[in-house]
Amino acid sequence: MSLVAGQQRAAQVGTGRLYEIDLLRIFAACAVVLYHYLFAGYYKVVSPLGFEVPGLLARYGYLGVDLFFMISGFVVLLSAWDRTPRSFLVSRVVRLYPAYWVAVTLTAVVSVLFGAGRFPIGLVQYLGNLTMFNSLADLENVDVVYWTLWAELRFYLIILVMTFFTITTKRVGIVIWSWLALTAVFQLGVLPAGADLILNTQYSHYFIAGMALCMIYRFGPRPSWLILVGLCLVNAVYRGVQFAGDVEDRFHTALKTPVVVGPIVLVFAVMLAVALRLTSRLARPWFVALGALTYPLYLIHAHIGFIVFERLGDQVNKYLLVGGTTLAMIVAAYLINRYVEKPLAPRLKRGLE
C-alpha cells in the first residue's frame, strides 16, 4: 500500500468517514428517484408520464432502499461506538430532523396549493408527520417515501438501547445473532405479528449485515462475522424474491427473479469490499458533496415531482420534463443542505446538549 493510500485510510478511520459510502448513498437515491419517475408514478396512476423501455430497468430501482438500510447498519453502529445514549440521540435528531421538517412542509404546501386533491393533507396529519412517529398514530405519510424513516427509527432504537450498556464486540455479537435468529423464528410464524414492530423482519437482514460489516471494518474479517453476513444474504434473497412478487401484484407488471437477486448480491459484495477496505483507493473527498444531497433529495422528490408531471405533462416533452424535474430536485436538495442542514444542525445540537 502506498503512503498516500495509507494516510487516506487512517484519516477515514479517524474521522469515521468513508467517502465511498457517500457515493453509494447518492447512487441509491438516484435509483429510487428513477424508480418513482420512470415507473412507479405511472403505474400507481399518480403520474401521467409512462416510459415503456426505460421503465423496464427503472422498475428495479426500489432496491436502492435495500442499499440504504445496509449502509445505515454499517455507519450508525460505527458512529455510535463509544457514545453515550444522550450523545447518540442528539446526533440522530440533528441528522434527521432539520431537512425533514423542511421537506414535510414544502411537500405539504405544494400538495395543497397545486396537487388538485391528488395528495390530500390534513393539519393533524401534517403535525403528526413532523414528529416522524406518525405511524404509531396510524397517520398517513405526507409523502410516500417517508415509510423508510419509520424502519430507520426502529433500528436506531436498538442502537440506542445498546449505548446504555456500552457497545462492545461481544454485545454487538449477541444483539445481531439474536436479532437474526428472532427474524427467522418470526418468519416461521411462531412469534405474534406485533413482534415485527421491533424486529422489522422485512429489512432486518440489511441492518444486521451492515452491523456485521462494521465489525469487519473495525476488527477484521472474523469467520463468525462473515458467516453472519452470508446468512443475511440468504434471507435477503428469500425476502427480496417474496417482495418482488408483491411489487408485481401491486403494479400489475412482471419482474425477473435474476434481475432482483443480482442487485441484492451486488449490494452485499460492494459493502463487503468497503468493510474489507478494498475500495479505499477509489474514495475521493468530493464524494461528500454528493452524499450530502442524498437525504434531502430522497425526501422531496416523489410527490412534488408527480405534481409537476401532472401540471406540465401535456406541455413539455416527457424526457425533458423528467430530466428538468430531477435537476430541480437536486438543486433543491443542495439548497436544503446548504441553507438548512449546515447552519441549523450545530444550533440544534447546542440546544439539545
Side-chain angles (χ1 to χ4, degrees), residues 150-162:
W150 181 231
E152 291 278 357
L153 288 175
R154 288 144 67 193
F155 168 60
Y156 294 163
L157 177 61
I158 292 173
I159 300 296
L160 176 63
V161 171
M162 291 176 66

Side-chain angles (χ1 to χ4, degrees), residues 52-263:
E52 184 175 355
V53 176
L56 292 174
L57 181 60
R59 68 189 60 200
Y60 299 97
Y62 70 89
L63 293 167
V65 172
D66 300 23
L67 177 55
F68 275 136
F69 287 150
M70 187 177 290
I71 290 173
S72 288
F74 189 112
V75 301
V76 173
L77 177 60
L78 188 65
S79 68
W81 210 279
D82 294 328
R83 282 186 183 269
T84 64
R86 182 182 180 86
S87 175
F88 173 74
L89 191 59
V90 169
S91 72
R92 292 297 92 195
V93 169
V94 168
R95 175 69 184 91
L96 292 181
Y97 278 95
Y100 176 72
W101 287 330
V102 172
V104 171
T105 301
L106 181 61
T107 301
V109 169
V110 172
S111 297
V112 170
L113 295 181
F114 306 105
R118 184 175 292 274
F119 304 112
I121 296 172
L123 180 60
V124 173
Q125 178 191 4
Y126 166 71
L127 295 175
N129 269 251
L130 290 178
T131 70
M132 211 178 286
F133 287 88
N134 52 290
S135 293
L136 286 177
D138 199 28
L139 292 173
E140 188 176 353
N141 290 314
V142 166
D143 193 300
V144 65
V145 301
Y146 296 167
W147 70 268
T148 60
L149 300 177
W150 181 231
E152 291 278 357
L153 288 175
R154 288 144 67 193
F155 168 60
Y156 294 163
L157 177 61
I158 292 173
I159 300 296
L160 176 63
V161 171
M162 291 176 66
T163 62
F164 278 94
F165 300 95
T166 305
I167 297 177
T168 64
T169 303
K170 181 177 180 180
R171 287 169 179 165
V172 171
I174 292 172
V175 168
I176 57 181
W177 277 105
S178 299
W179 191 2
L180 185 60
L182 289 171
T183 294
V185 172
F186 181 89
Q187 290 173 176
L188 291 173
V190 177
L191 297 177
D196 201 39
L197 181 64
I198 298 298
L199 295 178
N200 200 8
T201 57
Q202 181 64 51
Y203 297 102
S204 59
H205 36 266
Y206 289 114
F207 292 116
I208 295 166
M211 294 172 71
L213 291 169
C214 175
M215 300 303 290
I216 291 172
Y217 175 73
R218 286 184 62 96
F219 303 108
R222 299 179 185 178
S224 59
W225 304 125
L226 293 171
I227 291 171
L228 187 61
V229 172
L231 292 174
C232 287
L233 172 58
V234 171
N235 200 57
V237 169
Y238 168 69
R239 293 304 294 265
V241 171
Q242 279 189 332
F243 188 76
D246 295 338
V247 173
E248 288 180 326
D249 293 339
R250 189 187 316 161
F251 296 110
H252 306 290
T253 189
L255 297 178
K256 297 184 181 298
T257 298
V259 185
V260 172
V261 173

